[in-house]
Amino acid sequence: LLVKDYRQASLPSPSLRPKSRVANACTRRSSHLWLLAFAMAVAEICNLTYMLVSIPARIAFSPDYTFSKRFAVLTAFDTLSDALMWIIAGPRIVKRFAPAAAVALLLTAGIPWEAIAYAGGCPNIPWWRLNRRVWAFEAQHSGSRLFCLLEEKQVGQNVGLQRMWKRFFAMAGMGHWAACLFYGIGRQAALDGVESWLVVDGHLELVGLAGSVVQRTSRLKAYGRALYWAFVTMCTTGFGDIVPVSSEETAVVVFAQYAGLLISCATIANLTLLMTSFDAARTAFLKKMDCLAKYMHYRKLPKWLCDKLLNFYDYEWNQSGGVDEKMFLSELPQTLQLQAAAILRRDLLRG
């Protein structure tokens, strides 16, 4: 009877039979749908990266460009980015939040205030573009969505590595924001006629009355110095070559230190967990062998028997790779147990 049940279970079920042309087309269509979902997830992450990197950089380093062709091009590009986020992330936001909160979030993040100001003839204020940083709340869900799609293709299944990547991008994004904020506050202080870190570091020079400054170095070099300061401060190293001068710059330093400390602690904790669980099966096997050696010494077993026991467990480990097959099979329902047993014992059933 047991062999009969195994043979019945070994018969191909409708889902395991040779696929017809329609089934093959469905499989290809599923693969195409995965590629489409993966492309949309990558496009969403690239769009978020553009918003979270470009907007703070333009606010800090190019606050004085007026209503020109460049302004129109950037505003149109920002509006297209908002539309893309509405299409991709909008349905997900509506499902996750209450309707009123979802609508408020979408409107707050996607209103082109600079275009409205341009239509009304108001002056260009760089802080009007800051509302698009609200999309940063979707970065975590976008990254999780991308990792879930990769897991479907058996890629990137280590949760610890996924968390490490997320911490890495969080540190990079926070460092960029801190660098832009540090530069913007220093530049505004110099325009007000107050000495700032940009003046002390030699990037700007005060000339005459308040509001007159001369750019001594390129903005790219100044950004590099600001980014260097941000990572040094966030990692709590602090070499002391770039120090805050005004009270506003000191506030930015305190913010960067606390933010970097939180991210660094989370990264170190996740790295410790990753290293301890990287080869957990091998660690458990070595612990088991150590307990076996202590047991054999306690029972005073002869050496030839100890060698046989050790060789047996070592052979079992090399064959199974640390996987407890009996435990996995015992957790399956009876139908799946019969099907798995039919595959594992197919040589016996054929005989």
Side-chain angles (χ1 to χ4, degrees):
L1 292 177
L2 184 61
V3 173
K4 182 179 179 181
D5 291 338
Y6 282 164
R7 287 177 175 172
Q8 291 178 353
S10 63
L11 293 176
S13 62
S15 61
L16 298 177
R17 291 172 185 171
K19 296 181 179 179
S20 61
R21 294 181 179 179
V22 177
N24 291 330
C26 293
T27 303
R28 288 195 298 268
R29 186 161 55 247
S30 299
S31 179
H32 293 163
L33 290 176
W34 182 90
L35 289 176
L36 178 61
F38 181 77
M40 292 180 64
V42 172
E44 182 181 0
I45 291 179
C46 293
N47 194 27
L48 282 172
T49 304
Y50 161 75
M51 289 186 178
L52 301 180
V53 172
S54 173
I55 300 299
R58 277 185 280 158
I59 292 175
F61 294 91
S62 300
D64 51 355
Y65 71 93
T66 55
F67 300 122
S68 59
K69 182 179 179 180
R70 178 189 173 199
F71 173 82
V73 171
L74 290 175
T75 302
F77 200 79
D78 292 343
T79 304
L80 290 177
S81 298
D82 292 331
L84 182 62
M85 288 299 300
W86 283 342
I87 295 173
I88 297 178
R92 186 174 64 238
I93 295 175
V94 172
K95 291 181 180 180
R96 195 167 69 251
F97 295 100
V103 171
L105 178 62
L106 292 173
L107 292 179
T108 302
I111 294 179
W113 292 108
E114 63 275 18
I116 296 175
Y118 176 79
C122 298
N124 177 30
I125 300 177
W127 298 102
W128 284 348
R129 297 185 292 274
L130 199 60
N131 64 307
R132 289 189 173 90
R133 291 181 64 177
V134 178
W135 291 118
F137 292 104
E138 285 301 306
Q140 171 73 17
H141 300 279
S142 301
S144 300
R145 175 60 179 165
L146 180 63
F147 283 123
C148 289
L149 290 172
L150 291 176
E151 287 179 359
E152 293 182 10
K153 297 298 182 179
Q154 308 296 323
V155 178
Q157 293 182 327
N158 194 314
V159 179
L161 290 178
Q162 294 180 11
R163 291 177 180 175
M164 288 298 298
W165 278 108
K166 292 178 181 178
R167 301 296 182 273
F168 171 77
F169 286 115
M171 178 67 82
M174 190 63 67
H176 173 71
W177 291 358
C180 293
L181 184 61
F182 197 54
Y183 180 90
I185 289 179
R187 186 177 185 277
Q188 186 61 43
L191 291 175
D192 294 338
V194 180
E195 194 176 42
S196 66
W197 76 271
L198 289 171
V199 178
V200 175
D201 206 41
H203 301 286
L204 297 179
E205 182 180 352
L206 299 177
V207 178
L209 300 176
S212 299
V213 295
V214 177
Q215 188 82 28
R216 291 298 183 185
T217 61
S218 64
R219 293 181 179 180
L220 181 60
K221 183 178 180 180
Y223 170 72
R225 291 287 290 173
L227 191 65
Y228 156 76
W229 164 87
F231 286 124
V232 166
T233 304
M234 294 175 67
C235 295
T236 66
T237 304
F239 294 115
D241 51 347
I242 301 178
V243 294
V245 178
S246 62
S247 58
E248 292 81 3
E249 294 172 358
T250 305
V252 176
V253 170
V254 174
F255 164 75
Q257 284 180 338
Y258 273 101
L261 188 62
L262 292 176
I263 298 177
S264 299
C265 291
T267 303
I268 293 173
N270 186 76
L271 182 61
T272 303
L273 179 62
L274 177 63
M275 295 303 295
T276 55
S277 61
F278 189 76
D279 198 2
R282 182 65 180 177
T283 304
F285 171 72
L286 294 177
K287 185 177 180 180
K288 181 178 180 180
M289 296 297 287
D290 183 64
C291 294
L292 177 62
K294 292 180 180 179
Y295 171 78
M296 292 186 298
H297 178 73
Y298 171 72
R299 289 297 183 181
K300 296 181 175 57
L301 298 181
K303 187 178 183 304
W304 62 270
L305 182 57
C306 294
D307 294 337
K308 284 189 175 182
L309 292 176
L310 292 175
N311 291 333
F312 167 76
Y313 280 106
D314 187 66
Y315 173 79
E316 185 182 40
W317 163 261
N318 293 327
Q319 292 297 318
S320 63
V323 178
D324 192 351
E325 183 179 354
K326 295 181 180 180
M327 181 190 70
F328 286 114
L329 293 178
S330 63
E331 294 176 352
L332 297 176
Q334 185 177 6
T335 304
L336 292 179
Q337 286 185 14
L338 292 176
Q339 293 179 357
I343 299 298
L344 295 175
R345 304 292 187 271
R346 55 182 178 272
D347 296 335
L348 176 63
L349 296 176
R350 289 171 183 173

